Amino acid sequence: MSTDELAERMAELARRGDVEGLADEVVAYTGAGNDHGRGGRGKMTNALGLVAAGRGPDLLMAVLERCCLVTDNEQRQAVNELLETLVKPYSTAESPDSAEVALAFAARHTAYFGGAEQRHMAELLLDAGRPVPLEVVAMMRRTVVHGYWGSVGALEPLLKRLDAPALNPGEAWADRALTDVGSLDPDEAARWHALFRHAATATSAKPSRKWETAGRGLLDGLTEPGDRLRNWLTLVGRPRTVRLNRTQWEQDINESFDQYNATTLRGLVWLASFLPEHPETPRVLGALVETALRKVAGIGPRSPKIANAGVYALSRLPSEDALAQIARLAARVTFKGTLKELNAALDARAAALGLSRDEVEELAVPAYGLTEVGRRVEQFGGASATLDATSGTVTVTWRNGAGKVVKSVPASVRSEYPEQLAEFKAAVKDVEKMLSAQSDRLDRQFLGQRVWQFEAWRSRYLDHPLVGTLARRLIWLVDDVPCGYGDGALRTHEDKEIAAGESVRLWHPIGREVDEVLAWRGWLEARRITQPFKQAHREVYLLTAAEENTRLYSNRYAAHILRQHQFHALAAARGWRNRLRLMVDDAYEPATRELPQWGLRAEFWIEGIGDDWGADTTESGAYLRLATDQVRFYPINAPEHYAHATGGGYEQWVHQDAQPTEPVPLAEVPPLVLSEVLRDVDLFVGVGSVGNDPTWQDGGPDGRFREYWASYSFGELSGTAQTRREMLERLVPRLAIAERAKVDGRFLVVRGDLRTYKIHLGSGNILMSPNDQYLCIVPKQSAGSSTGDVFLPFEGDRVLAVILSKALMLSRDTQITDPTITQQLRR
């Protein structure tokens, strides 16, 4: 449709008074690749000017509502330029009616107009005896917080004059707080608003003694302050109740926290820790920390200061539940600033108790009502619920009053025991979260080289109601004798019972005889024990001939192309320190893992790849992909290396009079350290490589990575993929599709009725007969669990699960109904 035709259509809609239809046409036009230049925009604006008198504000706000939902940058910019043209007459007219429209428009932004303009329009309203809406006050406050356009001097006196409640509307928790307080009697409401104003002064990292004293005084006399605060805090992070419009250079502000409210929220979090102990408070604060650290594209963690406030509040609570939350978060949080606060809180608690940090983390794990390892039975009158976590997956089985298993919560339980039911459901979620955190903590113990006294280990691990569900699925060294838990006792793989011992360590396959490793794999598989992470099947990375030649570095994982954000998340989860690389004039250290127990620092050299802003970067300038290089080891206190964001090689920055520190020869790195570090890097490449993406057959942007994609997708197997092959060689003969499947080199070959398929054991990508045609199957996020009744001896290898699910599906290829697959099969 030409611009003239569009103008005529819009004029017709205007004559009919169809503001909503007109707004739809405007936004659709901007997204259709049409002329957004000054001429086209001028004709569009003229057409909009034909709207009947008095409907202009409606159209402005209708277009704004739609713009708030636009995700495409170019389209959003085009709509915003048009909105700027439409709102200008209202912002420059000297009337309270026009000021009201302009300010209502501005209120749907983080900030809009200069501070002096905002003040002038607000004064037009006040002089006419009209109130300044709280949404407008909120926008003015955000303008001051962000320091836009000399706003502080222009707006602060006005804001003091308005004396509005110390919370901005638009966030679920703040709306609930304002509603709850608004329903109270005037005296009680006034006391709450005084508390909000005090919370809004929480501008430091931690409360001063004076601030705390004043806060405690304001809490005194309030009705149910704990219940109200906890209810509000559980709503933090919910979707905004009023979406804000993003201007050209803003990130996704609707996913972050209102910066003005964040200060008040921090104060309320501190205040929650001053109240009497309540079992729900630690749970609420722990969830708040995780919510505040949830990452947003282009922003990073939503609000580290709220996360840190939550940690501080937890550290002030003396209960075991609070300590458990701190320990759980310390095992899961990767954001450095908050992790530092968590570690400090644990160290302080350890010092206060006269224990080591490791002991405090172990003692901090609660039982969550489990009366035996992995099991809790909760009675609700005649009905009951059984929580079972013995296999690693938390399940709940409900029985009605007659003892019959039912699929959902019995109606009698919902109606007669609502509070007990809520506590039980919360405990189930806590168990799931804590099991995941403890699994991660145990996985890191290999390099920690922890040794336990037998009785302490037995009570804290093997027989602990929660941790025991993990410990009983692992292999341990009791006085250097390998044993696992089976049939109610510790046993060797020859089934000799181990009753007691002096010391206990985690077993690791490195340095063990091959026969022993294979025997333990068979022992676990015979008992259908699924380990919480790879231990018996753990990859071992020994020094290669190539690494003996390079001597100081490993090129084993060089020349790969990784998705940066996926790599960054994996690195943080595995304890590596890394910064997202931006296409800017800056220098970056390599990805680094510090190993204080060994006095070493591992480095993985990486750099951003590409030079096309937008195609090779995110909207905020972060590289989408990385190129990999060497792995090196240095003394832990050696000077750091740096490389420019756009590449050019790493250099060690030292004083001009100092000499660079040489890397530690690989042959001198302890074999366990070398193996575990290379295993991490193998994981980064195995998960983060663009070669894993089944949709990249064309090689990605401009086909630049076609050669790499092909070589990785069907090339030599990494250490993890070789373990996968060994596992499948044992597993395939036991499958229902055994007659149709076999492991052949780098592939699992599956015979269907239409084709024969070769599934690569590294990438999971597929070639099919004839002529090795490529078959693109994009697995769903839940595909990792869709393997039917196939037993897997360890958790965590999603690619293995995807390979098995693809094999099961392709063996019955005549039953496939997905048209995206059948079109390829029958081509």
Side-chain angles (χ1 to χ4, degrees), residues 537-552:
H537 295 79
R538 202 173 188 85
E539 299 82 11
V540 171
Y541 299 79
L542 304 176
L543 205 62
T544 64
E547 288 161 344
E548 289 175 350
N549 288 332
T550 56
R551 201 173 72 83
L552 299 178

Side-chain angles (χ1 to χ4, degrees), residues 62-98:
V63 175
L64 175 61
E65 286 286 348
R66 288 153 178 76
C67 189
C68 289
L69 301 175
V70 172
T71 57
D72 180 76
N73 282 341
E74 185 176 350
Q75 183 183 7
R76 188 172 62 249
Q77 182 178 346
V79 183
N80 273 322
E81 288 176 358
L82 177 63
L83 286 168
E84 186 177 336
T85 303
L86 295 177
V87 78
K88 188 173 182 179
Y90 299 103
S91 64
T92 55
E94 292 292 317
S95 75
D97 289 341
S98 293

Side-chain angles (χ1 to χ4, degrees), residues 696-749:
W696 266 47
Q697 185 187 12
D698 60 356
D702 302 322
R704 282 179 287 157
F705 306 110
R706 185 180 293 111
E707 184 177 342
Y708 169 75
W709 183 88
S711 66
Y712 182 87
S713 290
F714 304 108
E716 295 299 320
L717 301 183
S718 66
T720 301
Q722 289 171 10
T723 299
R724 212 171 280 144
R725 179 179 62 192
E726 294 168 6
M727 183 68 248
L728 286 168
E729 286 173 342
R730 297 168 65 94
L731 189 61
V732 167
R734 308 173 196 168
L735 299 179
I737 61 170
E739 295 183 356
R740 288 176 171 264
K742 66 177 181 178
V743 177
D744 185 3
R746 303 190 297 270
F747 299 91
L748 174 61
V749 180

Side-chain angles (χ1 to χ4, degrees), residues 627-751:
T628 67
D629 202 342
Q630 302 172 6
V631 175
R632 294 183 173 221
F633 293 84
Y634 285 86
I636 195 167
N637 294 321
E640 298 281 1
H641 286 88
Y642 290 89
H644 194 271
T646 56
Y650 282 94
E651 293 183 5
Q652 204 172 78
W653 288 9
V654 297
H655 190 272
Q656 60 183 1
D657 297 329
Q659 292 296 318
T661 301
E662 287 293 310
V664 177
L666 298 180
E668 297 178 15
V669 176
L672 176 64
V673 175
L674 179 70
S675 183
E676 285 297 298
V677 166
L678 291 180
R679 183 176 184 271
D680 278 354
V681 177
D682 191 357
L683 172 71
F684 302 155
V685 171
V687 175
S689 172
V690 300
N692 286 327
D693 190 336
T695 66
W696 266 47
Q697 185 187 12
D698 60 356
D702 302 322
R704 282 179 287 157
F705 306 110
R706 185 180 293 111
E707 184 177 342
Y708 169 75
W709 183 88
S711 66
Y712 182 87
S713 290
F714 304 108
E716 295 299 320
L717 301 183
S718 66
T720 301
Q722 289 171 10
T723 299
R724 212 171 280 144
R725 179 179 62 192
E726 294 168 6
M727 183 68 248
L728 286 168
E729 286 173 342
R730 297 168 65 94
L731 189 61
V732 167
R734 308 173 196 168
L735 299 179
I737 61 170
E739 295 183 356
R740 288 176 171 264
K742 66 177 181 178
V743 177
D744 185 3
R746 303 190 297 270
F747 299 91
L748 174 61
V749 180
V750 179
R751 177 172 52 83

